[in-house]
Amino acid sequence: MSSRFVRDLFSFLIDTFVTGMGRLLLREMNEYDPPEILALVIGLAFWALLIVLVWAVTLGW
């Protein structure tokens, strides 16, 4: 696989899942046109929290 394909794949996944989730969460808080960096940070925080919660459930906390 070429490095361009991998870079495009990561870009697509980050834009779709991380930034998209950030935009969705900000839209729920009535922020309809958020800056791209804010949507990215909120999306990263959401997925990090979700991973920690799943990890805690699997450990039986």
Side-chain angles (χ1 to χ4, degrees), residues 30-52:
N30 293 325
E31 181 65 42
Y32 292 104
D33 191 23
E36 198 73 17
I37 189 71
L38 183 61
L40 178 66
V41 169
I42 296 295
L44 284 172
F46 170 79
W47 287 110
L49 178 65
L50 185 69
I51 289 169
V52 168

Side-chain angles (χ1 to χ4, degrees), residues 13-55:
L13 291 174
I14 288 172
D15 189 41
T16 302
F17 292 107
V18 177
T19 308
M21 183 56 72
R23 280 191 212 112
L24 181 69
L25 292 171
L26 287 167
R27 197 171 296 135
E28 291 294 321
M29 295 185 289
N30 293 325
E31 181 65 42
Y32 292 104
D33 191 23
E36 198 73 17
I37 189 71
L38 183 61
L40 178 66
V41 169
I42 296 295
L44 284 172
F46 170 79
W47 287 110
L49 178 65
L50 185 69
I51 289 169
V52 168
L53 288 175
V54 168
W55 182 57

